[in-house]
Amino acid sequence: MTGLLRWVVAVVALGHGLVHLVFASEYFGWIDDPTLSQSDRLGGLWLTAGLQLLLTAALAAADAGPWWLVGIVAALVSQAAILTAWGEAGTGTLANVVLLVVAIYALLSLGRRSLRGQWTARADEALSAAPSGTGVVTEDDLARLPAPVAAYVRQCGAVGQPRPHSIRAEFHGRIRADRDQQWMPFTGRQVTTFGPDPRRYFLMDATRAGLPVTVLHCYALGTATMRGKVCSTVTVLDAAGPELDRGETVTVFNDLVLLAPGALVDAPVEWTELDDRRVRAAFTNGRHTVSAELVFDDSGRLVDFVSRDRMRASADGRSFDAQDWSTPDPRRRERSGVHVLRGTARWRTPDGWLTYVELDFDRIETNPEVQRRHVRDAERTRV
């Protein structure tokens, strides 16, 4: 929706800006219009507004910089100009109303204090603080793991690859709260870091009843929050507390298993091999220790991840219900050289398993902070 509104701003600001330039030309006397007296002062006001509107159009079309702030200023300067020639230009107020409404919405949904803005700032901070150790995953590392887990890490192609310290992912899918509710489509992105202080920042943009819903999960220092807003203004979800802290610790461990299996060789996990296909894992982060059962097939592929430590939140996030949580049958593949993953998540309800999320990871980037540092070092070298 934000992308569509950007193009609305670009088109309206472009047309509106060109009209302002015509008025500026008339005031400067570049165009002979007997209805307007020449005035360099008013011409300067109209010219300034026109140039600001054209700049807004260019920034919005390119999705560059805080175009919404430029748009708000441009609309206000434009309206000041319109008031000086209300009889001839009063209808331009409608364009300014459109620009202001869309730009203010963009400020609420994309600005630094918005959920998206918070995700960007916290994700960048987490990647900057991520461990930067070197080395690759080796067969010797796998010797410390139970045989089914070692086979899984090997089957994922992690041996010989850099040890994962973080991942950045983009995804799309659909979600529902219960069986009798319609699926909501969504897109999103996340950053998860591993090591002594694992962090996870997960941003989801969904659509419900035609309205945009944004949800932000934050996990750092063993503490989690989950907030959701409709139209980036009305809070409909605000969750925190020990149940969520523990549940998000399970999610971080699930990210580690599914999205960065090579990191299992260094993870703070106590393993208990149940049989040749099942392993119980106790993952510890700070004051939290959570467990999960990992189930594999004969080829080493992960068949299921089941935990009893991730409680199901109510729709408003104010209460929690103890239910088994599972991410069964994840499908890993390479697409055009990019590592992608398809999976689902489900709850074991009194009526049986409820699949509530279907998720496609379109891109999973391992150790993105290393690439960033290489780029910065290369830029410094050129300078």
Side-chain angles (χ1 to χ4, degrees):
M1 182 172 178
T2 305
L4 174 62
L5 294 179
R6 274 198 306 109
W7 285 106
V8 170
V9 167
V11 172
V12 172
L14 175 62
H16 200 34
L18 293 176
V19 172
H20 275 66
L21 294 184
V22 171
F23 271 82
S25 299
E26 293 170 344
Y27 276 112
F28 282 128
W30 301 336
I31 298 176
D32 186 15
D33 185 346
T35 65
L36 294 176
S37 59
Q38 290 189 18
S39 170
D40 289 348
R41 179 176 61 83
L42 292 178
L45 178 61
W46 281 87
L47 178 62
T48 299
L51 293 177
Q52 288 179 333
L53 287 166
L54 294 181
L55 177 60
T56 299
L59 292 176
D63 195 15
W67 56 266
W68 50 90
L69 294 179
V70 179
I72 291 173
V73 173
L76 294 176
V77 176
S78 168
Q79 192 60 33
I82 287 173
L83 292 175
T84 68
W86 183 259
E88 296 80 6
T91 55
T93 298
L94 178 60
N96 285 332
V97 170
V98 172
L99 288 176
L100 279 173
V101 169
V102 176
I104 290 173
Y105 172 75
L107 174 64
L108 294 174
S109 60
L110 301 174
R112 296 176 62 182
R113 295 188 178 183
S114 69
L115 295 183
R116 293 184 186 89
Q118 292 178 46
W119 182 88
T120 299
R122 295 182 182 186
D124 288 346
E125 179 186 3
L127 290 177
S128 297
S132 56
T134 59
V136 299
V137 178
T138 67
E139 282 289 341
D140 289 341
D141 294 322
L142 301 190
R144 302 195 295 268
L145 302 176
V149 179
Y152 167 64
V153 175
R154 190 180 297 112
Q155 192 257 359
C156 291
V159 176
Q161 298 299 312
R163 303 171 94 89
H165 303 297
S166 64
I167 59 99
R168 182 185 178 109
E170 299 172 359
F171 52 84
H172 73 277
R174 61 180 190 166
I175 187 171
R176 61 180 178 176
D178 217 329
R179 289 182 176 85
D180 58 354
Q181 293 193 356
Q182 291 186 338
W183 289 95
M184 290 193 301
F186 66 81
T187 61
R189 51 196 185 272
Q190 79 173 77
V191 159
T192 304
T193 65
F194 311 110
D197 177 24
R199 302 188 181 197
R200 181 179 188 265
Y201 299 109
F202 178 100
L203 182 73
M204 182 179 73
D205 290 309
T207 303
R208 184 170 187 176
L211 297 176
V213 180
T214 303
V215 178
L216 175 64
H217 293 245
C218 296
Y219 179 89
L221 300 175
T223 301
T225 60
M226 179 171 59
R227 290 181 293 160
K229 292 187 176 184
V230 174
C231 297
S232 299
T233 55
V234 180
T235 298
V236 293
L237 175 62
D238 190 359
E243 296 91 351
L244 188 64
D245 297 343
R246 189 170 179 82
E248 288 296 294
T249 303
V250 174
T251 309
V252 169
F253 182 41
N254 185 260
D255 281 353
L256 192 158
V257 172
L258 295 184
L259 305 182
L264 289 172
V265 299
D266 297 316
V269 178
E270 181 179 338
W271 302 100
T272 303
E273 193 167 351
L274 303 177
D275 55 40
D276 58 355
R277 291 189 180 183
R278 296 183 304 123
V279 174
R280 179 174 293 115
F283 172 77
T284 298
N285 177 40
R287 65 184 185 279
H288 302 294
T289 296
V290 296
S291 64
E293 183 175 311
L294 281 59
V295 184
F296 305 90
D297 64 14
D298 290 337
S299 69
R301 189 175 68 84
L302 181 68
V303 175
D304 206 352
F305 176 109
V306 184
S307 177
R308 295 168 178 81
D309 291 327
R310 192 178 190 273
M311 301 185 72
R312 183 181 179 186
S314 62
D316 60 3
R318 297 184 182 279
S319 62
F320 295 84
D321 186 22
Q323 293 183 358
D324 291 356
W325 183 74
S326 164
T327 55
D329 200 28
R331 297 288 176 171
R332 190 182 311 275
R333 66 190 188 280
E334 294 288 329
R335 186 177 64 201
S336 302
V338 177
H339 178 200
V340 296
L341 182 74
R342 168 173 289 184
T344 60
R346 60 183 184 171
W347 295 105
R348 190 197 296 271
T349 71
D351 297 324
W353 284 106
L354 165 68
T355 297
Y356 73 98
V357 170
E358 295 177 353
L359 190 64
D360 279 280
F361 284 92
D362 303 303
R363 183 179 185 87
I364 303 171
E365 185 181 1
T366 303
N367 296 338
E369 78 284 351
V370 174
Q371 180 63 31
R372 288 186 178 190
R373 289 164 187 160
H374 288 167
V375 171
R376 289 196 298 265
D377 292 343
E379 290 175 347
R380 293 192 189 100
T381 301
R382 285 197 299 270
V383 173

